[in-house]
Amino acid sequence: MTYRIEHLFTTPLYSSSVSNFSVIKDNIDKCIEKIDFRYREQWGKTHLLSDPTFAEDILKKYRLNVVKKEIENHLKQYCKELGFSMRPYDFTSWFIMMRNGDYAHFHDHAPSDLSGVLYYKTNSADGDIHFHAPHPFFKMSKCFSNYDRSWKHTPQEGKVLLFPGWLQHGVASNMTDNIRIALSFNIDFKE
């Protein structure tokens, strides 16, 4: 008997490392102490943000051009793999600080086209990022219920992830005394 399984409607997640993390780290080091991290009032004391409104581009505000260029290089590669022709886009970005006990609830960044994270400071034990399976119907079937689970990525300094803005994700509680800092961003392509 010959057969094949075709996996339909996959969710492509891009994972890579930045090529020049020491330069990027130096670039961020120069501004991180100037940032007034605050909680988003509606979420309570879950984690600190450089911009709880998500309206600004922290990279532009602090002229972190080296970081932006590196993200653009990864964005071009991701779009190439998706078969999507790059076009102009709007970019918003913010830093997330997670202290002991902090976490990020499950959420998405819709209607943004793409979202991403770049890990700046982590000990790799201060909270994995988890992605929910995007198909709510998996759990309705006994034979597909094992597909209805979360996938996780362990943070590593210099690691960058890109994923669809609609993909639900959250971060496990930081159970260490390490202060974890990551750069999150959204990309909205123009028509």
Side-chain angles (χ1 to χ4, degrees), residues 75-118:
L75 176 60
K76 287 176 186 172
Q77 184 62 37
Y78 187 39
C79 287
K80 180 180 173 186
E81 292 295 324
L82 294 174
F84 178 75
S85 297
M86 280 288 293
R87 59 184 73 166
Y89 59 88
D90 290 323
F91 188 88
T92 53
S93 62
W94 58 95
F95 283 107
I96 299 169
M97 179 186 286
M98 300 182 87
R99 299 176 185 162
N100 181 280
D102 286 355
Y103 66 95
H105 63 282
F106 275 97
H107 64 284
D108 61 59
H109 295 207
S112 292
D113 293 304
L114 298 176
S115 294
V117 62
L118 182 132

Side-chain angles (χ1 to χ4, degrees), residues 16-81:
S16 186
S17 295
V18 295
S19 59
N20 53 353
F21 184 64
S22 62
V23 175
I24 285 174
K25 186 174 182 329
D26 289 344
N27 201 228
I28 295 172
D29 284 346
K30 293 175 184 169
C31 77
I32 205 74
E33 296 298 323
K34 300 174 189 172
I35 296 173
D36 177 26
F37 283 93
R38 295 165 285 154
Y39 291 105
R40 183 170 169 90
E41 190 176 311
Q42 301 92 314
W43 296 345
K45 294 190 174 187
T46 56
H47 58 280
L48 294 157
L49 299 160
S50 62
D51 175 22
T53 68
F54 305 108
E56 66 183 16
D57 179 357
I58 198 78
L59 298 184
K60 185 176 182 179
K61 180 177 181 176
Y62 287 99
R63 296 183 180 100
L64 299 174
N65 299 326
V66 173
V67 181
K68 180 83 175 265
K69 181 75 173 156
E70 182 68 22
I71 289 171
E72 285 178 343
N73 290 338
H74 290 277
L75 176 60
K76 287 176 186 172
Q77 184 62 37
Y78 187 39
C79 287
K80 180 180 173 186
E81 292 295 324

Side-chain angles (χ1 to χ4, degrees), residues 94-152:
W94 58 95
F95 283 107
I96 299 169
M97 179 186 286
M98 300 182 87
R99 299 176 185 162
N100 181 280
D102 286 355
Y103 66 95
H105 63 282
F106 275 97
H107 64 284
D108 61 59
H109 295 207
S112 292
D113 293 304
L114 298 176
S115 294
V117 62
L118 182 132
Y119 296 102
Y120 159 69
K121 184 177 182 285
T122 178
N123 65 7
S124 297
D126 45 19
D128 292 340
I129 186 169
H130 292 257
F131 296 93
H132 263 315
H135 304 293
F137 304 108
F138 281 145
K139 62 182 158 226
M140 295 180 165
S141 170
K142 289 176 186 64
C143 56
F144 292 106
S145 61
N146 64 322
Y147 286 92
D148 183 41
R149 59 182 175 182
S150 293
W151 293 93
K152 69 178 182 174

